[in-house]
Amino acid sequence: MTAADPLTALALAARAGDAEAQAALVRGTQAEVWRFAAALVDPGAADDLTQETYLRAFKALPGFEGRATVRTWLLGIARRTCADHLRAVVRRRRLDARLAAQAWTDGPRQSDPAHRLGAADLLSRLGEERRSAFVLTQVLGMSYAEAAEIEDVPVGTIRSRVARAREDLVTAVTAAQAV
C-alpha cells in the first residue's frame, strides 16, 4: 500500500467517505489532470475531460486499494477518458473527414511567419501513443516506470515512444524553419 504519499492517503480517506478528503484530493490533483488532458486532446476540451475523469474516478474509488499512487491511478483514468473522447470525436466526424482532407490538400498550408511553432501545435502533430508518453515523462515529469504503468505497457515501450516523439518534434521544427 502506498499510503505514505499524502495524495494517496487522501484517496483512501475519500474512499471511506470523507468529504473533506474528496475535495482535497481534487484540489491536489486537478491541475495535473487538466494539463494532461489539454496536452492529449486540446485545452478547449480539458475542462470537460478533467470533470469526466473525476466522475469516473469517484465511481471507481471503492476499488482503489492504494497499491499504486493515486496520481498514477488517476492519470490512467484521464488517459482512458481522453481516448474515449477522441474515439467519439472520430465517430462524429467520419462524414466530414473526406471534405476536411480535400480542403487540406487543395490549399497551401499556412506557414508560421515567425518560424516558430507553439508547444501545443507541436504536440498535436504527434500520434496519440507518442504524445501521451512524451507528455507524461517530459511535460509532467513522471518516471518512465510511472508512465508505463499509466499506459499499461512495458517501460521499454515508453522509452521508444518518447525517443520517436523527440525525433518527430525535431523534424517538425526543422520543416517549419525551412518554410
Side-chain angles (χ1 to χ4, degrees):
M1 182 126 68
T2 322
D5 167 43
L7 291 173
T8 301
L10 284 173
L12 294 171
R15 181 184 71 181
D18 183 338
E20 288 181 25
Q22 291 173 355
L25 176 63
V26 172
R27 281 192 306 272
T29 57
Q30 186 173 18
E32 189 169 44
V33 169
W34 187 94
R35 284 194 333 244
F36 187 52
L40 290 183
V41 180
D42 73 73
D47 288 342
D48 289 340
L49 292 170
T50 299
Q51 183 176 9
E52 177 65 22
T53 296
Y54 283 103
L55 288 172
R56 291 180 183 194
F58 280 106
K59 283 182 184 174
L61 197 55
F64 177 70
E65 297 177 4
R67 286 181 278 181
T69 66
V70 74
R71 179 180 184 222
T72 301
W73 178 75
L74 195 55
L75 289 175
I77 293 171
R79 181 186 60 81
R80 289 185 295 280
T81 300
C82 290
D84 290 348
H85 170 77
L86 291 172
R87 280 190 289 274
V89 167
V90 168
R91 282 192 303 270
R92 284 193 305 265
R93 295 185 180 171
R94 276 200 176 125
L95 294 177
D96 295 336
R98 181 182 291 167
L99 293 175
Q102 184 178 5
W104 179 257
T105 57
D106 288 349
R109 186 171 177 158
Q110 297 284 334
S111 64
D112 184 359
H115 298 288
R116 294 177 297 143
L117 295 174
D121 183 41
L122 285 170
L123 289 174
S124 72
R125 294 168 184 241
L126 296 174
E128 181 183 339
E129 291 177 342
R130 290 180 185 177
R131 181 176 347 134
S132 180
F134 186 84
V135 168
L136 285 168
T137 59
Q138 307 305 302
V139 177
L140 297 179
M142 298 185 81
S143 71
Y144 285 91
E146 289 173 314
E149 189 172 342
I150 290 168
E151 293 289 318
D152 196 26
V153 297
V155 173
T157 301
I158 293 296
R159 290 186 189 285
S160 66
R161 287 177 183 175
V162 170
R164 288 188 179 103
R166 285 184 182 133
E167 291 170 5
D168 293 348
L169 293 172
V170 167
T171 301
V173 169
T174 303
Q177 291 173 344
V179 175

